[in-house]
Structures are given as structure tokens and as C-alpha cells.
Amino acid sequence: MSCEPPVLIISEDDVWEIDSTTYADCGHFVDWDQFPSFTEERRSPSPQELPHSHKELKRMAREGHWAKRKNLRAEAYNNIIKNIGCRSGTPDASVYHDVSERLFGRRGILDHPLPDFLDGCLPPAYCLNARGETAVKKVLICIGNQYPDITYSPSLPSVVALLLHFSEDEAECFERACRLISCIENHKCYVDQSFLAYEASCMTFGDLAKKYCQAGHKLITTSCENSSEIFSDWIMWIFGDLPFEYTIRIFDIFLLEGNKVLYRVALALLKHYRSHVDHEVTDVRTDIQDFVKNISHHLSVQKLLEKAFSIRLFSHKEIWLLQLANRKALSQRGITVMQPRQPAHMAINLLEFNSVIVTAQEMRVIWSWIPERFSLYPPVLLFSTMEHGYSLQRFYTHCEGFEPTVLLIKTTGEEVCGSFLSSDWNERRKCSGQVATYFGTGECFVFSVRPEMERHEWVVVKKPELVKSAPPSPCSRPRSYSNGSRVSTSPLRPSTPTLSSAPSSPSLFPNYLTVPGDGSCGRLSPFLSVRHFQLPTKTASMFMSGNNSGIIIGGGGGQALNIDANLNIGRTEHCETFDNPPLCEENFHIQHLEVWGCQNS
């Protein structure tokens, strides 16, 4: 609403006004006999008071300086949460007093059912005494009263229980929880509040696992009939299965940095689980849960956090864009209420799928590689050389208007390779004449199927240290570079000089390639759009390109795939965009070519 006050955003260099109120009274909801002892050593002594620098506060949280000092942690929580930008009218402690008096004044808490958003789950104990467990239930009931729009929130009971540890009373815990629920800061969400939001976050974790924990993702998708059920557990690994002493350290960082740290930790848990598994597992879901519950047998909380922060995730904004895209896809599928979503591989019907290039089982593997929001849909054949002939113009005619697409190629040598292409081939029309424009996003990848199955993603996914996030740029037209390469009319060219798509390799021909432009102003940028990154070279963003002379996938030092206008001759090389080896024999003839789309895309 336009009448809301401006949101207070805290930057890395901001100086906070620290409330030095003592919190000697916090902790009376805790059963101290059950409370774990913290024996882990730290490299530097703990400070006696909070720093005024937000950056220093983040450092303290990551290094665990509050682990043995509940008063300092309580003070930190108070100052972190009161600085969160919230909606106007967010319920505070006075509201809790009024609501609790009205709800519990004449009737005991036993007369009030827990909110429906718990979906029958009991709040975790987390070393709370009987008084604390009752207080958590009361706070949750009052939250349900004040937030009737919350329909599903599996992590909220854990958040309330953790906050209660370091709150002076129920009202203070309620106010802090409400501020987390009502957060309106950019690209930050503390608590999922609907089944749709929760499922979107689970899909986002599945996408991140594909990129940052490929071995763990492969284990789950090949061992389980319903892999989506396992990925849907990710948030409860942290707010349900981890021991309290691990969860509270993660929660310290979570309050300062948002849910990105939760993705980091869940990926680190999956990575460590995969490295730990040296036997065949019959029930992967239960095995992961047991592994997380007993994580202390494998590594300390500090080591877990070090592993988590060694994973170079993309920015908060990129993760937010991915989650929005997943949420939109779920909405289009009608998944807004409590209903399971179909696992990705089940989108391929083994009896009905028909391709002259890959088997249904091979297509299931390929479909498990593509982003979660697209794997919700079954594949549909858009173009086939067997049906439509070997014509580039017919290729464009049948593929334009579909986004994304999967390109499959079978060579006369019986090798199979292809690519996942994130953008509509119609994008090639944005530049007129003979100029071919590179377009697409960082979700594109190339792969081989036979003789071996292997996927090669955008080099920035594999080596995020190559770039840093770029600030939003003004609208601009796609840029043409005079030092680019042409789309070769004959990719099979052993007797001619190699034509590179790297801008550092000048070409004598006029139909030069360009890198993706910024797109239209005011339109939501797609996930992994090039405009979000400061790339070291233009060759890192050469995803897909095409004109009347042929199509190219990948660039820089060579092309991952270069197909001629007759869809007859091709060439594959190492390229800088995907850092891939040749996907098959370097110079090849095409036996069959197919393009598949998502049925409802």
C-alpha cells in the first residue's frame, strides 16, 4: 500500500543503534538439564558486547561467538529483529496481551486446537521445559488468530521455539515472530506461509542441488520413485532433524542473512551425506533423516558451516527470481493447496514415449536435469527430421513460440548428444539482416547421452568465482561486436582455418555474433540472466544463436554444437561458455535430429 512508511534496509556498512538492555531474565522457558554443553573452541575470544557494524555482527554470528553467552545472543536477536523492515500494522507485544486474554482468559489452552497451518505437526521441544512448550503453543495459536492467510508453514513452530529461548516472555516472542512473518525487505523471506510458497522453495532446492550437489541429486533421483518427496524435506532437515546446538547456530546467521544460508546448509548436508554413503540404500529418505539427526558423529557445527559457506551460491536476487519462476509454474499447474506434485521422471510415460534418438529411460534422466519448473510437464515433440525433413526453416517454424526446448542429435556414428535451451528461438529475430545474436540464459546446458551420459552447465555455475553480481543496468539495444565470428555455413571444415566465436578472434565475414542484451525495461528478468553478472569475457555468455546459415550452441574458442542450414553436417568442440569437451566425434553427420518442448509451455 502506498501509505506504508519506507522500509529500513540495513546495508553491510550501516552502523546500528545497539540497545544494550540486559536480558538476564531470558531462559526461564528452558530445561537447563537437557541443554547441551558447548565444548567447541573458537579461534578468537568472544567479545563482551555487540559491535555497531552490521558486517562485524555477521562475522560474529558465523564464528559462533554467542554460543556460550545467552544474554549476548538475546541482545543480538532483539537488535537484529527490530531492524527488519516490516509491513505497517505488524502485531506487537500489546496485541499479544489482548489476544491471549481474549482466547485464554476463561478457557485453557487445551480447549484451543493448534492452527491448521501446522498440518498436524507438533512443535519441536528444543530443550524447552513444560512451561516453554505451552508458551510455544499459545504463541502459535495467537499467530494463527492474527494471520488467517497463513495456510501452511512447517518451519514456523521451530522458529517460535528458538525465539522463545531468548525472549523475556511470550509477548516478546510473539512480536519477534510477527516481524519475521511480516518482513517486506527485498529478496528476503523468513517464513513460508502457504503450501505454494513451500513447494516453490522445495523446487528451488532441487534446482540448486542439480547445480551444486550433482552426486547427491543423482543418488536421490536414481534411488527413489518419488524424488520430490525427499527434496520436500530439505527445510525440516534444518528445523526438525538437526540437533538443537546445530540449529541455533544456523538460526543466528539466518536472522541476519535470510534463507540463503538455509539452502547452503541443506546442500552441505546433502553433499556430506553422499560422501558418507558407501552402500546401497533401500530408503534414502529415512537414511538422510537419520544421518542429519546424528550429524555430530560426522562433523561439528563449525565444520558444517564452513562447508556450507564454501558453496558459492548465486545472489539473493537470483535465488529469489528462481523461486518466483517455480511458484509461477506451480500456480499454472493448479498446485495451490495441499497436494503432492508429480516427480520429474514420472512426466515421461514409459509406454507412450516415442523417440528415434533416445529411449524413455534416457529421456527420464535428461528430464531430471532440466529446471524443476519445466520438469513438471511431460515432453512434447515439436520437430523431427524424420517427420518434417532436414530443413532449418521448418526447424524454426516448429520451434518458435516454445520455451524452453531440448535439442537431441543422433549421429551416423550412433552417438547421441544435445542441449537444453532456455529461450525461444524467436529471440534470434531481434537483430535484422545477417547479424546473428547470441541469446539465452545461464540455465542452458549441453550434454552427451551415448556412449556416456554427461551434462555440462554454464561455466559460471561451475566457477562462480569468475564473476560477481552486477547492478541493474539501463535498457540498451543488443550490442554487436566487430570482433565476433560468423555462423558457419559448413561446420565440417578440416581444411579451413578454425572460426572461433570468441570476440578476440577477428573474422573477415560480415554476419557477426553478439552477446545477449539487457532486454526490455520493466520486465522481470529471468533467472540467471546475463544482465545480472559482470562477466570477465563476452565468451562466457554465448548460449544459443541462429540465422539462415545454421545454429550454434555455446561459444568462445569453439562451439559446443554448430549445425549447418541443411541439418546434415555438424561440429562439436570445447567452448568457454560451457567448458565442455567435444560432445561426440568432432566432425559428424546427422542421422536424426529432434526438438522437444514442455507440453504446457
Side-chain angles (χ1 to χ4, degrees):
M1 295 175 63
S2 59
C3 60
E4 290 183 357
V7 178
L8 174 63
I9 304 295
I10 305 297
S11 70
E12 292 288 316
D13 301 319
D14 278 337
V15 175
W16 287 25
E17 180 181 347
I18 298 295
D19 182 356
S20 58
T21 305
T22 61
Y23 284 82
D25 291 336
C26 70
H28 42 246
F29 295 105
V30 180
D31 183 345
W32 293 105
D33 292 334
Q34 297 184 33
F35 204 81
S37 58
F38 297 96
T39 58
E40 194 168 338
E41 295 183 2
R42 289 183 297 273
R43 297 186 182 93
S44 57
S46 297
Q48 300 302 308
E49 58 183 25
L50 293 177
H52 289 262
S53 163
H54 184 255
K55 186 175 182 179
E56 277 299 300
L57 202 61
K58 282 177 62 175
R59 183 187 62 80
M60 284 181 62
R62 291 189 180 191
E63 294 180 0
H65 289 294
W66 308 330
K68 290 186 178 181
R69 299 195 59 206
K70 66 181 180 68
N71 292 351
L72 192 64
R73 180 179 264 145
E75 184 182 336
Y77 283 14
N78 175 62
N79 286 283
I80 293 168
I81 295 174
K82 80 174 185 180
N83 280 287
I84 291 174
C86 300
R87 296 194 296 265
S88 60
T90 297
D92 58 13
S94 64
V95 172
Y96 180 79
H97 290 304
D98 294 339
V99 173
S100 61
E101 176 64 26
R102 176 163 42 87
L103 293 177
F104 311 122
R106 297 181 180 179
R107 301 166 59 194
I109 188 173
L110 295 178
D111 295 325
H112 290 274
L114 290 173
D116 290 340
F117 61 69
L118 295 184
D119 193 34
C121 298
L122 294 176
Y126 281 154
C127 307
L128 294 173
N129 55 28
R131 180 186 173 190
E133 291 179 9
T134 300
V136 170
K137 294 177 183 177
K138 290 174 66 176
V139 171
L140 288 170
I141 291 170
C142 290
I143 288 174
N145 177 271
Q146 291 295 296
Y147 292 89
D149 292 338
I150 298 180
T151 56
Y152 190 71
S153 187
S155 63
L156 186 54
S158 297
V159 169
V160 170
L162 293 169
L163 290 173
L164 189 64
H165 271 265
F166 306 99
S167 300
E168 291 187 343
D169 54 31
E170 298 166 11
E172 185 174 71
C173 176
F174 170 83
E175 179 175 327
R176 291 176 175 178
C178 289
R179 291 190 67 82
L180 297 182
I181 293 168
S182 301
C183 173
I184 55 172
E185 293 183 7
N186 288 337
H187 314 143
K188 184 177 285 188
C189 175
Y190 286 103
V191 180
D192 290 331
Q193 300 171 40
S194 69
F195 185 72
L196 178 63
Y198 166 74
E199 277 287 276
S201 74
C202 296
M203 289 174 64
T204 300
F205 177 71
D207 283 323
L208 295 175
K210 290 177 187 180
K211 297 181 182 300
Y212 298 103
C213 187
Q214 294 185 14
H217 185 273
K218 182 178 180 180
L219 173 69
I220 290 173
T221 54
T222 56
S223 305
C224 309
E225 183 67 20
N226 192 349
S227 58
S228 62
E229 281 189 354
I230 298 178
F231 292 127
S232 293
D233 287 341
W234 81 276
I235 192 69
M236 299 314 296
W237 295 346
I238 300 168
F239 287 129
D241 297 329
L242 275 179
F244 169 77
E245 59 269 31
Y246 285 69
T247 304
I248 193 63
R249 284 287 308 278
I250 296 164
F251 193 67
D252 293 343
I253 306 168
F254 168 66
L255 290 178
L256 281 163
E257 303 185 30
N259 63 357
K260 184 176 177 180
V261 68
L262 303 184
Y263 287 120
R264 287 186 190 274
V265 171
L267 289 168
L269 288 170
L270 183 57
K271 274 176 170 279
H272 201 68
Y273 169 75
R274 181 62 188 93
S275 65
H276 171 76
V277 173
D278 55 2
H279 58 280
E280 185 175 342
V281 180
T282 56
D283 187 349
V284 174
R285 187 179 192 183
T286 301
D287 202 50
I288 292 177
Q289 291 172 344
D290 291 341
F291 176 83
V292 174
K293 289 176 181 177
N294 296 287
I295 191 68
S296 59
H297 298 165
H298 306 285
L299 74 170
S300 68
V301 61
Q302 191 60 38
K303 289 294 183 184
L304 174 63
L305 290 172
E306 288 173 3
K307 286 180 176 292
F309 282 102
S310 69
I311 300 172
R312 298 288 299 275
L313 286 185
F314 291 116
S315 67
H316 284 281
K317 179 180 179 181
E318 286 300 320
I319 295 174
W320 173 76
L321 287 169
L322 176 58
Q323 189 146 340
L324 281 184
N326 285 334
R327 184 166 179 159
K328 180 179 179 182
L330 286 167
S331 295
Q332 291 173 342
R333 290 285 283 176
I335 299 178
T336 58
V337 294
M338 299 293 292
Q339 62 188 66
R341 64 186 158 92
Q342 187 182 38
H345 72 277
M346 295 302 291
I348 314 295
N349 188 310
L350 293 175
L351 297 178
E352 296 180 1
F353 178 79
N354 185 24
S355 166
V356 297
I357 297 180
V358 294
T359 66
Q361 197 59 47
E362 287 171 334
M363 194 60 162
R364 279 191 167 185
V365 175
I366 296 168
W367 221 243
S368 75
W369 289 342
I370 73 175
E372 293 279 313
R373 63 189 184 278
F374 302 124
S375 65
L376 290 170
Y377 302 97
V380 57
L381 185 63
L382 304 178
F383 175 84
S384 168
T385 50
M386 178 168 283
E387 179 180 349
H388 303 108
Y390 292 79
S391 165
L392 182 60
Q393 290 308 312
R394 284 198 288 271
F395 170 95
Y396 288 138
T397 299
H398 286 276
C399 296
E400 287 177 359
F402 290 88
E403 180 180 295
T405 54
V406 173
L407 172 70
L408 297 176
I409 296 170
K410 184 175 184 179
T411 72
T412 54
E414 300 298 319
E415 293 179 293
V416 175
C417 59
S419 60
F420 170 78
L421 304 169
S422 64
S423 298
D424 189 338
W425 278 105
N426 194 46
E427 291 283 318
R428 67 190 177 87
R429 299 178 181 273
K430 288 192 174 180
C431 285
S432 59
Q434 289 296 307
V435 177
T437 305
Y438 266 111
F439 51 97
T441 71
E443 288 191 290
C444 293
F445 60 83
V446 296
F447 56 84
S448 55
V449 177
R450 295 184 216 139
E452 294 182 359
M453 297 197 80
E454 190 171 5
R455 173 179 48 148
H456 307 280
E457 295 195 280
W458 185 26
V459 65
V460 173
V461 173
K462 295 181 284 187
K463 302 175 182 178
E465 66 276 6
L466 294 177
V467 300
K468 58 182 179 180
S469 294
S473 57
C475 290
S476 61
R477 296 173 60 186
R479 295 159 292 172
S480 295
Y481 295 92
S482 57
N483 293 328
S485 90
R486 58 195 291 268
V487 177
S488 172
T489 56
S490 178
L492 189 64
R493 53 189 189 284
S495 61
T496 59
T498 299
L499 295 174
S500 168
S501 58
S504 57
S505 304
S507 171
L508 300 177
F509 301 94
N511 49 337
Y512 302 122
L513 293 171
T514 68
V515 299
D518 289 342
S520 304
C521 278
R523 186 171 65 90
L524 182 65
S525 296
F527 175 59
L528 297 191
S529 172
V530 173
R531 67 185 299 185
H532 302 159
F533 301 91
Q534 292 178 344
L535 299 174
T537 65
K538 301 177 183 67
T539 59
S541 61
M542 294 179 167
F543 303 116
M544 53 190 292
S545 179
N547 63 8
N548 295 333
S549 299
I551 61 174
I552 285 180
I553 313 299
Q559 294 100 27
L561 286 170
N562 188 331
I563 309 299
D564 75 344
N566 296 317
L567 304 186
N568 185 29
I569 297 174
R571 181 175 174 84
T572 176
E573 306 165 291
H574 168 269
C575 77
E576 295 173 16
T577 301
F578 300 111
D579 192 25
N580 60 285
L583 303 177
C584 58
E585 185 178 353
E586 288 196 12
N587 297 311
F588 60 88
H589 285 80
I590 296 172
Q591 182 180 164
H592 298 294
L593 184 149
E594 293 176 346
V595 179
W596 294 80
C598 302
Q599 193 165 76
N600 286 351
S601 64

